[in-house]
Amino acid sequence: AGIYFEVETPLGVKIRTTKNYWHKIITIKHPSVAKHETDAKEALKKPDQIRRSKQDPNVHLYYKNIGKLDICVVADHAEKMSGYVITVYLTDRIKEGEEIYVKD
């Protein structure tokens, strides 16, 4: 159950997930993202925007447009320079929260 993928974000934080956890996301939590693994990695690597959760300042939402929808990767910046994927979902609207990064 080692690291399945790890991606460095524009904030310099490395976000990781395990195979087991990724499987849980795409089978139980949000099956609609099963075909969007590459998009999820791209959302971390080259997001259109990053927002900080209002509820938890450690939680960041990485958005990337993929046509009609945005893919959102929710990640916990557990440590200073690393963190992990909480969940991934497709959405048609950007959640509120402090905007901390916008693509040029």
Side-chain angles (χ1 to χ4, degrees), residues 39 43 46-48 63-71 91:
D39 293 323
K46 297 186 194 132
D48 293 332
Y63 289 97
K64 179 128 186 120
N65 184 265
I66 53 166
K68 289 191 168 129
L69 295 169
D70 283 280
I71 189 162
T91 182

Side-chain angles (χ1 to χ4, degrees), residues 14-66:
K14 290 190 170 105
I15 302 296
R16 67 188 177 275
T17 192
T18 63
K19 183 88 179 166
N20 286 353
Y21 196 75
W22 182 256
H23 186 72
K24 186 173 160 183
I25 291 172
I26 64 174
T27 55
I28 298 164
K29 290 183 164 191
H30 297 285
S32 60
V33 299
K35 297 187 187 88
H36 293 285
E37 184 180 324
T38 306
D39 293 323
K41 290 179 196 165
E42 280 294 301
L44 289 168
K45 202 180 295 174
K46 297 186 194 132
D48 293 332
Q49 58 173 289
I50 304 170
R51 289 181 174 250
R52 181 178 291 155
S53 164
K54 282 182 167 173
Q55 285 78 34
D56 183 342
N58 278 338
V59 174
H60 291 66
L61 296 87
Y62 291 80
Y63 289 97
K64 179 128 186 120
N65 184 265
I66 53 166

Side-chain angles (χ1 to χ4, degrees), residues 5 15-17 21 25 44 73-76 83-88:
F5 65 77
I15 302 296
R16 67 188 177 275
T17 192
Y21 196 75
I25 291 172
L44 289 168
V73 180
V74 183
D76 191 321
Y84 56 89
V85 174
I86 297 173
T87 193
V88 181

Side-chain angles (χ1 to χ4, degrees), residues 77-94:
H77 291 189
E79 292 131 45
K80 193 163 185 247
M81 299 317 284
S82 70
Y84 56 89
V85 174
I86 297 173
T87 193
V88 181
Y89 60 90
L90 301 174
T91 182
D92 58 3
R93 65 187 190 87
I94 304 285

